[in-house]
Amino acid sequence: MTHTSYLMPHTWVRRPTLVLFLVVLTIAVVAAARLRSLQPGPEQPIPFSHRVHAGDKEIGCFFCHQFAMNSSNAGMPSVEKCLLCHNVIAMRFPPIAKIHTYYSRDEGIPWKRVNRVPDFVHFSHEPHLARGFDCGRCHGNVREMDRVSQANVFTMDFCIKCHRQNKASQSCFVCHY
Ligand code: HEC
Ligand code: HEC
Ligand code: HEC
Ligand code: HEC
Ligand code: HEC
């Protein structure tokens, strides 16, 4: 009898404990991943606040996201659009001066994406807005956000649940083609 075979039964007793540990670890990792995806959005090149613009100043969403109604992309406002106001308002405030720098270099502001579905998923704002869903239904109350973060994780379940409730298509090929 070697030392190793003496240890064998001991190892077998421990195995379920090990399995349980791995299961708990997996659940913890998955839960952490989901939590992480709902944390505050990325830091943007300019600290643009929806609370100030869409909330306090009540500028409409379509003023800046002008393609949301009739194109698959909602679109981001051009630098020129910011300058419509900021050629006059708060010009010397450093983040605003930065807008002018992008403009003089003829560059767009490199905003970081917050919401995205994978490439194999087809999503368009158009049919949803045409049915009268509010932006907040999917994006939360953006008017109160200083920094935009995800309000929902766009899982397949999230999409299908609402399609079922509203008798919209659940065919795989509507969202995957
Ligand atoms: C004055 C212009 C302006 C207005 C008005 C505005 N937005 Fe935005 N929006 C931006 C800019 C700039 C960004 C990119 C920077 C950021 O994420 O804050 C953005 C980003 C977003 C994003 C995140 C995009 C992504 O990457 O996933 C959402 C969602 C959004 N806006 C929704 C709204 C909604 C809803 C309204 C109306 C309640 C609104 N916006 C009004 C300028 C505007
Ligand atoms: C329709 C007018 C208008 C447009 C368009 C506009 N802003 Fe503003 N912005 C304002 C007003 C008003 C304030 C508040 C100024 C104050 O409180 O003194 C402001 C404040 C700001 C501030 C100051 C920080 C803060 O949160 O108070 C930043 C930064 C800013 N805007 C960035 C932008 C950017 C970037 C764009 C383009 C995506 C943009 N703005 C488009 C009117 C506008
Ligand atoms: C039915 C859910 C839903 C509604 C309602 C909705 N969105 Fe979105 N939005 C999404 C999804 C999903 C994405 C990510 C799309 C992608 O990755 O192609 C997105 C992306 C965006 C983006 C960033 C990418 C882009 O398209 O330029 C902006 C900005 C945006 N939405 C603004 C709005 C505004 C403004 C409204 C209301 C007028 C609105 N959304 C209503 C689900 C929704
Ligand atoms: C708030 C409810 C709601 C959510 C959330 C939602 N949808 Fe929809 N969607 C609808 C409804 C209702 C329609 C049918 C619109 C119509 O044609 O009358 C629709 C239509 C569509 C269509 C067009 C279907 C066709 O027949 O051409 C696509 C594609 C789509 N949704 C994809 C998605 C994806 C992908 C997501 C998740 C990222 C999503 N939807 C989330 C309610 C929703
Ligand atoms: C209303 C839109 C919608 C419909 C209908 C839909 N899916 Fe999806 N599907 C999605 C979205 C959104 C994702 C991405 C989920 C993510 O990123 O977590 C996805 C992801 C997937 C994935 C990748 C694995 C996963 O779960 O993330 C597979 C496989 C898949 N879908 C198969 C199907 C099949 C098969 C059908 C038909 C029975 C179907 N889907 C119908 C929206 C849809």
Side-chain angles (χ1 to χ4, degrees):
M1 278 292 134
T2 64
H3 195 59
T4 315
S5 62
Y6 168 73
L7 278 174
M8 280 298 281
H10 194 62
T11 312
W12 279 104
V13 168
R14 290 275 173 114
R15 191 147 295 177
T17 318
L18 180 69
V19 170
L20 183 67
F21 173 74
L22 287 176
V23 168
V24 170
L25 186 71
T26 308
I27 293 170
V29 167
V30 170
R34 296 188 73 90
L35 265 180
R36 191 162 54 238
S37 53
L38 277 177
Q39 276 178 356
E43 190 175 333
Q44 297 289 355
I46 291 171
F48 175 82
S49 167
H50 280 79
R51 185 183 54 77
V52 170
H53 293 86
D56 296 353
K57 305 297 172 192
E58 299 183 324
I59 308 171
C61 312
F62 289 111
F63 180 79
C64 290
H65 304 293
Q66 58 184 335
F67 304 118
M69 194 53 100
N70 49 23
S71 144
S72 59
N73 279 332
M76 287 297 161
S78 63
V79 181
E80 284 85 349
K81 195 163 275 180
C82 307
L83 292 182
L84 283 179
C85 296
H86 289 294
N87 261 333
V88 184
I89 298 170
M91 267 185 70
R92 268 183 259 280
F93 186 54
I96 307 282
K98 216 172 152 189
I99 305 178
H100 289 265
T101 310
Y102 283 113
Y103 180 73
S104 61
R105 286 203 233 122
D106 204 12
E107 283 172 19
I109 302 171
W111 302 115
K112 295 203 184 96
R113 235 352 227 276
V114 180
N115 298 280
R116 195 189 281 286
V117 289
D119 285 343
F120 59 83
V121 176
H122 173 72
F123 175 82
S124 169
H125 281 92
E126 191 179 352
H128 299 96
L129 299 185
R131 270 290 284 264
F133 293 116
D134 186 74
C135 313
R137 186 72 190 260
C138 297
H139 294 299
N141 196 353
V142 174
R143 283 184 189 85
E144 286 178 355
M145 298 180 191
D146 276 320
R147 189 194 282 185
V148 180
S149 55
Q150 277 190 316
N152 288 293
V153 185
F154 296 133
T155 58
M156 184 156 131
D157 192 47
F158 173 78
C159 309
I160 299 245
K161 227 181 224 157
C162 188
H163 276 216
R164 199 179 296 132
Q165 277 166 9
N166 290 281
K167 303 192 166 48
S169 175
Q170 292 163 48
S171 152
C172 315
F173 302 106
V174 163
C175 299
H176 304 294
Y177 61 80

